[in-house]
Amino acid sequence: QVQLVESGGGSVQPGGSLRLSCAPSGYTVSSVSMAWFRQASGKDREGVAAIDRDDPSQYANSVKGRFTISRDNTKNTLYLQMNSLRPEDTAMYYCAAAETRVAWWSRMYRSSYKYWGQGTQVTVSS
């Protein structure tokens, strides 16, 4: 059974940084498409960043240049480095994993992913 466990969330001031981690069990991060999504209070869940085995990573326009998605195959862990955080980045952040590789045009859509973590809260406030 696949389980995804996120960690690294917390409270930070605007301009600060956080690094989220996602450690799956029963799943290998290197072989398929994975992504980070977020859901702010009262809003839909949206794609933040996606990574695939061979293609360039993808980012939502709102986080380009500030967030970086990566994975460490030796540790079987997915990361999201978040810099220059803004109050509008406040949300619950979710790790998502597909059953296989996902077409590049669909990697930022919720429906492309079968497995989800429980989420980790990120709060950006002064």
Side-chain angles (χ1 to χ4, degrees):
Q1 183 176 358
V2 176
Q3 287 187 320
L4 307 177
V5 179
E6 303 99 333
S7 62
S11 296
V12 64
Q13 292 186 339
S17 297
L18 285 173
R19 188 177 78 160
L20 306 184
S21 299
C22 173
S25 59
Y27 193 86
T28 302
V29 300
S30 62
S31 60
V32 295
S33 303
M34 296 189 72
W36 288 96
F37 285 73
R38 68 184 180 187
Q39 187 166 15
S41 180
K43 295 188 177 181
D44 292 335
R45 192 172 299 187
E46 63 174 357
V48 175
I51 191 167
D52 188 72
R53 188 180 65 199
D54 298 324
D55 300 333
S57 299
Q58 296 170 267
Y59 298 92
N61 288 334
S62 59
V63 307
K64 279 182 182 176
R66 301 188 298 122
F67 290 13
T68 303
I69 189 171
S70 64
R71 54 189 171 193
D72 185 331
N73 295 336
T74 62
K75 296 181 179 179
N76 199 39
T77 301
L78 179 73
Y79 299 101
L80 183 68
Q81 178 67 44
M82 305 185 294
N83 299 328
S84 302
L85 282 162
R86 305 168 180 170
E88 54 264 38
D89 295 318
T90 295
M92 186 72 78
Y93 283 71
Y94 297 90
C95 172
E99 282 194 292
T100 184
R101 294 186 68 191
V102 175
W104 69 267
W105 51 266
S106 66
R107 289 175 192 154
M108 298 291 273
Y109 292 97
R110 292 180 61 178
S111 58
S112 297
Y113 298 91
K114 179 176 181 178
Y115 306 109
W116 293 84
Q118 292 301 306
T120 185
Q121 178 68 37
V122 172
T123 302
V124 185
S125 174
S126 56

